[in-house]
């Protein structure tokens, strides 16, 4: 396991211990980005997909592959990009195929009251990948038969549905706002289902405040496909899991 690195959020000044992700090279060796210890993370206000990937070289076989840049979702709602110890390899050949899985990086996201295997995410390159990652996570939490919404006239703001859960997955580059949170909560209330929100770019302050009042779990998805809880309701859901 890679050594943890202390990271201080520049927004709320809260300090976290971050474990760099280890990505699986095709040769079987783990590949992990080196972080700049003591470096200042940068808040991601608007995600630019071209800047969200870096090229890493496998020390075992020499292969170059593209992997997500290290990111951290702070409970204050800020999405942070972490500084690297070395500049990404320039001019390296891109991966022939996209990675299919990444190893989860945050030990806190693997903690649960019940015994569960480690969550196995999928790297996010497209909006569909984000929906898939959220569905896998809800299944891992214990919700059964979670599927993408494909009805002809789906409920607006609902992307995943299971017998006891509804979820919104926002893959855009702008923070999710309060209207989306409230709409999702209303759908959950009407259907007597747990409502959960996932976002790639985080949430506005108003959205976090509204979700706290409604006890609606908010998660931030990083590009490894690993959700991070950003409010108390999400942390509680992570600890207790779903109804399975």
């Amino acid at each position: 396991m890679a050594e943890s690195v202390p990271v201080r959020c520049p927004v709320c000044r809260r300090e976290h211990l971050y474990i760099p992700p280890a990505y699986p090279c095709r040769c079987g060796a783990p590949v992990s980005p080196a972080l700049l210890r003591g470096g200042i993370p940068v808040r991601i206000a608007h995600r630019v997909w071209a800047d969200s990937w870096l090229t890493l070289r496998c020390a075992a076989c020499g292969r170059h592959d593209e992997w997500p840049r290290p990111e951290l979702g702070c409970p204050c709602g800020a999405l942070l990009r972490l500084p690297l110890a070395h500049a990404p390899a320039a001019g390296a050949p891109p991966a022939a195929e996209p990675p299919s899985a990444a190893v989860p990086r945050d030990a806190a996201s693997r903690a649960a009251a019940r015994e569960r295997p480690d969550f196995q995410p999928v790297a996010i390159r497209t909006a569909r990948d984000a929906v898939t990652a959220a569905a896998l996570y809800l299944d891992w939490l214990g919700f059964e038969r979670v599927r993408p919404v494909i009805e002809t006239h789906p409920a607006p703001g609902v992307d995943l549905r299971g017998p006891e859960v509804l979820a919104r997955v926002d893959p855009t580059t702008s923070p999710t706002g309060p209207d989306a949170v409230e709409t999702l909560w209303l759908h959950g209330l009407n259907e007597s289902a747990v409502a959960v929100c996932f976002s790639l770019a985080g949430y506005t302050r108003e959205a976090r405040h509204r979700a706290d009042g409604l006890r609606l779990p908010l998660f931030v998805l990083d590009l490894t496909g690993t959700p991070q809880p950003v409010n108390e309701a999400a942390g509680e859901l992570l600890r207790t899991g779903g109804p399975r």
Side-chain angles (χ1 to χ4, degrees), residues 19-24 30 67 101-106 110 118-122 224 226:
I19 301 175
Y23 302 117
W67 300 103
V103 177
R105 64 165 172 81
D106 192 343
R110 297 180 295 183
D118 290 350
F119 175 61
Q120 299 296 321
V122 293
T224 68
T226 305

Side-chain angles (χ1 to χ4, degrees), residues 29-114:
V31 180
S32 185
L35 299 184
L36 179 63
R37 184 174 290 271
I40 300 175
V42 176
R43 182 177 186 181
I44 303 174
H46 298 283
R47 187 186 295 282
V48 179
W49 287 98
D51 296 335
S52 298
W53 301 88
L54 73 162
T55 301
L56 297 177
R57 178 181 180 275
C58 176
C61 69
R63 175 183 171 83
H64 290 87
D65 275 300
E66 289 185 331
W67 300 103
R69 286 182 177 269
E71 295 176 359
L72 172 67
C74 181
C76 76
L79 183 60
L80 309 176
R81 179 167 295 151
L82 308 185
L84 302 174
H86 307 290
E97 298 176 6
S100 60
V103 177
R105 64 165 172 81
D106 192 343
S109 292
R110 297 180 295 183
R114 299 176 305 173

